[in-house]
Amino acid sequence: ADKMTVSECPSKKTRKQRMKDYEEANAVVGDNKIEEMEKMMRDKLQQRTKTGPFQLRKTFKYFDRDGSGGIDFSEFQRAMELMGFQFTDLQQLALFSRYDESCSGEVDYSEFVEKVMESDFKGVSGTSQKALRTLVSSTFLKQDGGGSLLEGDDDSDIDEKELDSFRRAEVKRLFEIVDSNKSNFIDKEEMVELLNGLGKDLSEDEINKGFEELDTDKSGQIDFEEFYAWYKIVAFGNRT
């Protein structure tokens, strides 16, 4: 039973107090219940965002009612209520603690994406697969990319500087999917793995030509800046 009570917002407490509260909440609620609640919330958010990363940014702003750039516990509670969940205060605190890894009393955007929607970026699937498929088709098969690759990438509600910042973050996730050995570079072998994973059966010559086009500094590897330039060329015809 939920015997512990949540008397005040975690953001008003010291980090040590928050850690203690989080530990107690987790112990009372239990991992199984927290995972069940997390799945319910993720399913609801996926309905709202269609798993698109820029739609997810909008959802974060929807949670962040005071526009501070972080979601505090009271905002998290309001969001749970608006989504129709009837979790107890203690259950909500246990769930919130999963995302507030820094124990700051707030969840920032990177924590939110990494934890709440992490299932979207494990492997080449969903939105990521669609974006990667478009990139590959444009360069290796010479098919037109045709506009934004990530849903909401051209969102006029977000200013250009902010949009570029989040675009880079989401393209970085695509880069990390392809960079399977986590070297911070994509080599030809990893590119072949991507092509095979997307069902693209290309000749060695086609692979070499496409890779050389992306490897602009001729290092034999594709770094993130080259990958990001690739994304912008395919999405917007932007060669700057």
Side-chain angles (χ1 to χ4, degrees), residues 38-52 55-56 59-60 62-63 76 79-80 83 85 99 112 116-117 120:
E38 188 173 45
K39 185 180 185 306
M40 290 169 67
M41 182 175 70
R42 184 177 286 133
D43 288 347
K44 181 75 78 169
L45 284 172
Q46 286 180 340
Q47 290 171 18
R48 179 181 292 277
T49 66
K50 300 177 183 176
T51 73
Q55 290 300 317
L56 183 58
T59 298
F60 181 85
Y62 171 76
F63 275 41
F76 185 76
M80 293 298 100
M83 286 194 287
F85 296 128
Y99 313 126
F112 182 71
V116 178
M117 304 303 280
D120 289 341

Side-chain angles (χ1 to χ4, degrees), residues 43-219:
D43 288 347
K44 181 75 78 169
L45 284 172
Q46 286 180 340
Q47 290 171 18
R48 179 181 292 277
T49 66
K50 300 177 183 176
T51 73
F54 290 89
Q55 290 300 317
L56 183 58
R57 172 62 182 164
K58 275 188 170 181
T59 298
F60 181 85
K61 285 189 169 182
Y62 171 76
F63 275 41
D64 178 21
R65 307 302 284 183
D66 65 2
S68 68
I71 302 167
D72 65 25
F73 183 57
S74 62
E75 289 171 326
F76 185 76
Q77 286 183 301
R78 261 201 307 279
M80 293 298 100
E81 185 181 338
L82 287 168
M83 286 194 287
F85 296 128
Q86 295 182 327
F87 303 146
T88 66
D89 285 353
L90 192 60
Q91 288 173 336
Q92 290 173 351
L93 184 64
L95 186 58
F96 183 79
S97 73
R98 282 218 163 178
Y99 313 126
D100 182 19
E101 284 197 323
S102 57
C103 293
S104 65
E106 284 196 341
V107 179
D108 67 22
Y109 179 74
S110 60
E111 287 176 319
F112 182 71
V113 173
E114 193 67 33
K115 292 294 178 184
V116 178
M117 304 303 280
E118 62 184 357
S119 63
D120 289 341
F121 302 102
K122 286 180 179 174
V124 185
S125 60
T127 303
S128 302
Q129 183 178 12
K130 182 182 175 185
L132 289 168
R133 191 180 297 278
T134 303
L135 286 170
V136 162
S137 294
S138 173
T139 300
F140 289 86
L141 303 177
K142 302 302 178 187
Q143 296 171 355
D144 183 23
S148 175
L149 280 70
L150 294 167
E151 185 173 345
D153 192 353
D154 51 359
D155 190 347
S156 60
D157 290 347
I158 303 176
D159 68 57
E160 188 56 39
K161 187 176 178 182
E162 184 182 26
L163 185 58
D164 185 67
S165 172
F166 286 100
R167 183 184 295 139
R168 289 183 75 91
E170 297 307 332
V171 175
K172 180 73 170 172
R173 292 178 184 278
L174 299 180
F175 180 85
E176 288 170 353
I177 288 170
V178 186
D179 177 24
S180 56
N181 67 0
K182 308 305 174 195
S183 66
N184 293 319
F185 295 96
I186 295 169
D187 59 28
K188 198 171 291 182
E189 191 175 313
E190 287 168 324
M191 186 59 74
V192 170
E193 283 177 16
L194 171 64
L195 292 165
N196 290 340
L198 295 174
K200 307 296 183 186
D201 186 17
L202 302 181
S203 69
E204 188 175 349
D205 187 50
E206 287 173 319
I207 292 167
N208 288 339
K209 280 183 179 175
F211 193 87
E212 285 168 13
E213 188 178 328
L214 304 178
D215 178 22
T216 54
D217 66 0
K218 308 306 175 191
S219 65

Side-chain angles (χ1 to χ4, degrees), residues 11-30:
S11 59
K12 295 178 182 176
K13 298 187 176 187
T14 66
R15 186 172 181 274
K16 194 170 181 180
Q17 286 173 319
R18 280 193 293 272
M19 288 176 71
K20 187 169 182 287
D21 285 351
Y22 289 168
E23 284 172 12
E24 289 179 7
N26 275 272
V28 172
V29 177

